[in-house]
Amino acid sequence: MKHEKIVILGTGGTIAGTAASASDPMGYVAAQVGIAQLVAAIPALAEGSCELVTEQVAQIDSKDMSFAVWAQLAGRVNHFLVQPDVQGIVITHGTDTLEETAYFLQALLNPAKPVVLTCAMRPATAPAPDGPQNMLDAVTVARHAGAQGVVAVCAGAIHSALDVQKVHTHRLDAFSSGDAGPLGYVGAGRLRMMRNWPAVAAHHAQSAIKNIADLKGGDSWPRVDIVMSYAGASAAMVNALVTDGVEGLVVAATGNGTLHHALEAALLQAQAAGVKVVRATRCLQGRVVPKPGDTLPDANGLSPVKARVALMLRLLG
Ligand code: SIN
């Protein structure tokens, strides 16, 4: 009799993808195989002492991730987190927006149990798919005593939701935690931790439920967009977005948060008009180090896409 449960939630992605021809590595369609079928195809998963519960939350290519799916996913994760016999949660997800979902769930739910996102760079029908090993590793992490918070597991590395970024278009080891480095590594059923698990306050079911309720249907989420600073940037994008009713803007700035003067003037004008503006960096590594007198707040180390999620949640709150 197995007393502890690991819940595996499917959302789609390449891990659930199928290809017509095994010889065409890019010619596949993501999000085709159901989560129950994916799990059943990995017999080693059933060998552990935990009961595995599967649920299909969505079946999408993660480039099409929507607020409605996020709200649904957050609700299901919270539903299972509060059950005492659930030890941890694994979420299968496409690689393309995995880091946004990971940050969203961490910021919203602050889970004291492990919530492990995993994925694949090759479809399920590939001659040597990477999904099954990633899934085994993700379950190993979800079962690990003391594991907590939202993490991503891919190619043997465990990344914190705060740091993880997709950095490669097709390599199996497509994710990096930048300067911070991975939280640890997983292989052969064991973990080797390099840093502590993300610090989490106790998971407060009531505040999580309120946060999820605040997400509403999805259509009414605050409009936050991302603009970029580059050679020859102008005010045009910012002005068009402000005219269109944007509520928040994240700017992917150059270097240590610097901005083309024309773009900066437009952003300051937008801020003065009530739009919330946040400065992240377009550099893959490092963070914007704030200086006295900064007029546009920095993203507190978040990448532009995560800073956008943080700003949306702030505006919702
Ligand atoms: C997706 O993000 O759903 C497709 C790409 C991938 O999973 O690698």
Side-chain angles (χ1 to χ4, degrees):
M1 172 85 173
K2 299 181 178 185
H3 293 295
E4 300 290 342
K5 284 185 193 152
I6 298 290
V7 177
I8 307 182
L9 304 177
T11 71
T14 293
I15 193 168
T18 56
S21 158
S23 61
D24 179 5
M26 297 299 160
Y28 68 89
V29 183
Q32 301 300 302
V33 185
I35 190 64
Q37 197 182 332
L38 278 181
V39 169
I42 312 170
L45 278 176
E47 286 166 15
S49 56
C50 290
E51 181 188 344
L52 300 179
V53 176
T54 59
E55 185 173 302
Q56 195 78 47
V57 175
Q59 187 63 297
I60 58 168
D61 185 319
S62 81
K63 72 179 174 57
D64 297 324
M65 183 51 71
S66 66
F67 299 145
V69 172
W70 269 358
Q72 168 78 4
L73 181 62
R76 296 313 289 160
V77 170
N78 192 57
H79 166 84
F80 288 112
L81 277 177
V82 296
Q83 297 183 18
D85 59 346
V86 170
Q87 196 168 343
I89 297 177
V90 170
I91 301 171
T92 56
H93 198 288
T95 58
D96 286 343
T97 59
L98 182 147
E99 67 213 58
E100 292 172 60
T101 300
Y103 180 76
F104 165 72
L105 292 174
Q106 176 63 51
L108 190 80
L109 302 178
N110 199 22
K113 293 180 185 177
V115 175
V116 185
L117 281 84
T118 196
C119 55
M121 293 297 285
R122 292 179 181 154
T125 51
D130 52 331
Q133 187 60 53
N134 285 345
M135 185 91 97
L136 280 164
D137 289 343
V139 170
T140 298
V141 173
R143 293 180 53 197
H144 186 78
Q148 62 179 22
V150 182
V151 299
V153 166
C154 182
I158 309 166
H159 301 277
S160 155
L162 301 180
D163 302 310
V164 67
Q165 255 185 292
K166 185 173 180 181
V167 294
H168 204 278
T169 53
H170 56 84
R171 241 176 27 201
L172 299 192
D173 188 6
F175 289 90
S176 166
S177 288
D179 286 351
L183 288 176
Y185 298 95
V186 52
R190 286 166 201 272
L191 269 63
R192 186 162 61 96
M193 297 305 289
M194 311 306 287
R195 328 192 248 133
N196 292 333
W197 296 98
V200 293
H203 174 72
H204 292 299
Q206 287 317 315
S207 57
I209 288 164
K210 182 190 170 306
N211 289 345
I212 293 164
D214 286 346
L215 300 179
K216 305 186 192 98
D219 294 339
S220 52
W221 285 31
R223 167 98 183 274
V224 178
D225 284 303
I226 301 175
V227 293
M228 189 183 266
S229 191
Y230 40 74
S234 75
M237 293 282 275
V238 171
N239 291 347
L241 288 166
V242 171
T243 304
D244 205 36
V246 79
E247 290 165 73
L249 283 170
V250 173
V251 57
T254 38
N256 186 30
T258 54
L259 295 166
H260 187 287
H261 64 87
L263 181 65
E264 184 168 25
L267 288 166
L268 287 170
Q269 214 177 347
Q271 184 174 252
V275 176
K276 300 284 178 233
V277 181
V278 170
R279 233 167 6 109
T281 177
R282 65 181 218 184
C283 291
L284 267 188
Q285 308 245 352
R287 57 186 292 163
V288 176
V289 181
K291 297 187 298 299
D294 279 344
T295 41
L296 296 172
D298 69 272
N300 206 13
L302 295 175
S303 66
V305 290
K306 289 182 192 172
R308 172 177 176 264
V309 175
L311 184 50
M312 279 193 302
L313 291 177
R314 180 148 69 89
L315 289 168
L316 271 167

